[in-house]
Amino acid sequence: MTTVALAVTDGMLHFEMSLAMEVFGSDLRHMADPWYRLVLCGPRPVRVGRFRLEPEQGLDFLPRAHTVIVPGWADTGAEPPGDLVDAVRAAHQAGARVVSLCTGAYVLAAAGLLDGLRATTHWAHADDLATRHPRVTVDPDVLYVDNGTVLTSAGKAAAMDLCLHLVRLDHGSAVANTLARRLVVPPHREGGQAQFVTTPLPPPDNHPLAGLFPWALERLDQPLTVEDLARQARMSSRHLTRHFRAVTGTTPLQWLHTQRLGRAQALLETTDDTVDSIASATGMGTATTLRRHFQRTVGVPPDTYRRTFRTRTAPRLAG
């Protein structure tokens, strides 16, 4: 029940791999005894970034483990190594709990373990994973997904969230919280919490809306309408909507809504302003409205978001 196999091959992402090694490979028997026995498994000596690793066991060890963890790897444009895919599939068939961190989801998808299931990966690769594996329901807006014996995480810090989730499942919340304090990370973030991805503006270009975006961003506190935007862009509302979809992939009002929430996120991170003040500054009207839309889109209330991303000293905006 304590054996964790870390499946590695050339090109694995060292950050996600290191997280798993820190959580499951450290001697933490003072927290829970027995702790985990981490076994590094690979087909041969592998290169991970600038480092060379010597696996303890071959990939044929994976079916003997209770939990198999597949870190992400860099070359997502290529198909995952066949021997790794076969070994992960065999481990799952043998009853192992199989976990992917970040782009390790490509391996699980190639093994068929995600077919018909909801899964996640780093938001930047979500569309590609969904296109290449249409039988997988890829959710780019969560930190991790627990399907029982198959679990997937988003990238970077979300990989730690999933590792702590596994500890919580195996040893309880008290142990997981103690470990989180040791690692100086938040003790618990729900898997359904959003990945907190900033929505960028379209790149500067000579498209017809290039001058409209900065104009609108300076007036997010005002009740802008499609007609206001069309008037500023000197085009009809119909033409404006068509250009918006071509440039941003969404409608003018949805774009405004996204930018207002993005501004609210920035203010929560960097100022001491109240939620009421931020609602007014972002054109959301009232704190109740901001909280409703923020919870629906980001996945947590504004106050929780602020506690998560808060800097130690935040300036209060004038006025």
Side-chain angles (χ1 to χ4, degrees):
M1 291 293 291
T2 63
T3 303
V4 175
L6 188 58
V8 297
T9 188
D10 288 336
M12 287 288 181
L13 299 175
H14 64 273
F15 182 81
E16 286 78 3
M17 186 185 70
S18 298
L19 292 181
M21 294 179 71
E22 179 66 25
V23 170
F24 303 103
S26 300
D27 184 359
L28 300 177
R29 285 174 292 177
H30 62 284
M31 293 186 186
D33 192 5
W35 192 248
Y36 300 95
R37 174 195 173 210
L38 182 69
V39 181
L40 193 66
C41 301
R44 66 189 73 82
V46 298
R47 299 292 302 184
V48 179
R50 297 170 58 188
F51 306 101
R52 183 178 184 272
L53 297 178
E54 187 76 40
E56 304 168 63
Q57 297 283 347
L59 292 174
D60 58 351
F61 181 84
L62 298 190
R64 296 160 57 187
H66 174 261
T67 301
V68 173
I69 297 179
V70 184
W73 89 104
D75 189 12
T76 57
E79 289 300 314
D83 54 353
L84 176 61
V85 172
D86 292 342
V88 168
R89 185 187 299 114
H92 184 257
Q93 291 172 347
R97 178 174 62 181
V98 180
V99 179
S100 68
L101 306 179
C102 193
T103 51
Y106 281 83
V107 176
L108 274 60
L113 304 189
L114 301 180
D115 288 354
L117 297 179
R118 180 168 157 264
T120 193
T121 188
H122 191 291
W123 62 268
H125 299 280
D127 288 344
D128 178 63
L129 181 64
T131 299
R132 288 165 59 178
H133 297 280
R135 297 182 65 183
V136 181
T137 302
V138 180
D139 188 343
D141 296 324
V142 295
L143 298 177
Y144 57 85
V145 177
D146 182 347
N147 287 300
T149 60
V150 179
L151 302 90
T152 55
S153 87
K156 305 306 177 186
M160 177 60 80
D161 290 308
L162 181 51
C163 289
L164 289 173
H165 175 67
L166 295 174
V167 173
R168 186 174 296 105
L169 291 174
D170 297 339
H171 296 291
S173 295
V175 172
N177 291 344
T178 300
L179 176 57
R181 286 194 295 271
R182 177 179 182 272
L183 298 172
V184 198
V185 296
H188 184 49
R189 294 199 296 169
E190 293 288 350
Q193 186 167 314
Q195 290 190 32
F196 300 124
V197 179
T198 301
T199 304
L201 288 171
D205 204 343
N206 293 325
H207 58 76
L209 303 182
L212 180 63
F213 294 130
W215 180 88
L217 289 175
E218 293 176 358
R219 295 163 175 80
L220 290 179
D221 60 324
Q222 302 176 20
L224 297 175
T225 65
V226 174
E227 289 72 23
D228 294 330
L229 297 175
R231 189 179 307 110
Q232 178 64 25
R234 298 182 179 179
M235 60 180 65
S236 69
S237 298
R238 182 177 179 181
H239 286 169
L240 176 78
T241 300
R242 186 174 72 247
H243 283 302
F244 247 91
R245 286 199 176 278
V247 174
T248 70
T250 189
T251 66
L253 291 181
Q254 184 58 49
W255 181 86
L256 277 172
H257 183 69
T258 300
Q259 301 310 314
R260 284 177 168 134
L261 286 174
R263 179 70 56 79
Q265 287 176 285
L267 292 174
L268 287 166
E269 293 174 29
T270 60
T271 78
D272 287 324
D273 289 8
T274 66
V275 176
D276 284 288
S277 297
I278 292 174
S280 177
T282 57
M284 300 296 285
T286 67
T288 300
T289 300
L290 174 59
R291 287 192 174 96
R292 182 174 69 251
H293 289 296
F294 204 93
Q295 174 81 46
R296 182 182 303 160
T297 302
V298 181
V300 294
D303 293 335
T304 301
Y305 182 90
R306 169 171 270 165
R307 286 194 298 270
T308 301
F309 287 92
R310 188 75 183 155
T311 56
R312 285 187 177 272
T313 56
R316 178 180 292 276
L317 294 184

